[in-house]
Amino acid sequence: MLGVAEQLGDVAALVADSAYANLRPILDLDITRYSGLPGFFNPGIIVAGQLFYGLNPDFRPVDHVRASPRRAFLFLVGAADTFIPTANSYELKSASTNAATRLVVFDGSGHAKEFHDHSTLYLSTVFGFIDQQIAAYRT
C-alpha cells in the first residue's frame, strides 16, 4: 500500500500497521534470523527471490511516503516488534511532511499484535484518525 501512496490521488489518508521503511535491512536481518544460515548466504537468497518471485530488495516505502506530502498517514506499531524494528515506523513518520500524520506505538505489543493486545485503543485511534481526515476533507 505505501508503495503506491503517491498514485492514490483521491485518497486523503492511509493507515499502515507494522510497516517497514526500507526492505533490504529487513531482509538482511530476517533471512539470517529465520533461516539459521550464515549471512553470506543472504545475497544468493535475495537473488533467488528476485528471479523466482519478482522481489525488489531495494523497495523503500519511505520514499513513497516522502513523495506524498499532501497525504496524512497513521502509522501503528508495537513497541516490542522484533520482526520489523519500531525504528522503521519512526523513519516513516519523519518522512511525511503532512502535519496530520501520526505515529502510535502500542506498549508491549509484538509484530502486528496491536489490535489483539489493545483492541479498544487501536480502534479508537484508527476511527479517530479517519474521522479527523473526513472532517478535514469536507472543509
Side-chain angles (χ1 to χ4, degrees):
M1 164 197 58
L2 293 176
V4 296
E6 68 270 20
Q7 298 171 27
L8 303 172
D10 292 335
V11 177
L14 291 174
V15 177
D17 187 331
S18 305
Y20 59 88
N22 181 357
L23 183 56
R24 189 170 292 271
I26 302 299
L27 290 174
D28 288 339
L29 175 69
D30 289 340
I31 289 172
T32 300
R33 182 182 348 186
Y34 293 108
S35 72
L37 297 170
F40 64 81
F41 282 102
N42 288 2
I45 293 170
I46 289 171
V47 167
Q50 289 174 289
L51 292 173
F52 295 113
Y53 301 105
L55 173 72
N56 176 3
D58 298 314
F59 180 60
R60 295 175 41 87
V62 68
D63 295 336
H64 297 277
V65 170
R66 193 173 289 114
S68 305
R70 294 181 47 209
R71 180 161 296 111
F73 293 88
L74 171 60
F75 298 106
L76 308 166
V77 66
D81 191 338
T82 58
F83 186 67
I84 297 177
T86 57
N88 283 267
S89 293
Y90 285 99
E91 185 178 352
L92 289 165
K93 163 80 167 68
S94 294
S96 175
T97 57
N98 189 302
T101 292
R102 294 186 55 209
L103 167 62
V104 179
V105 180
F106 293 83
D107 288 337
S109 292
H111 182 67
K113 297 292 185 190
E114 302 87 5
F115 177 76
H116 178 269
D117 297 342
H118 305 278
S119 58
T120 301
L121 177 59
Y122 187 97
L123 291 173
S124 67
T125 300
V126 171
F127 290 141
F129 178 76
I130 292 169
D131 288 345
Q132 178 187 36
Q133 294 308 307
I134 290 171
Y137 182 78
R138 287 183 178 163
T139 58

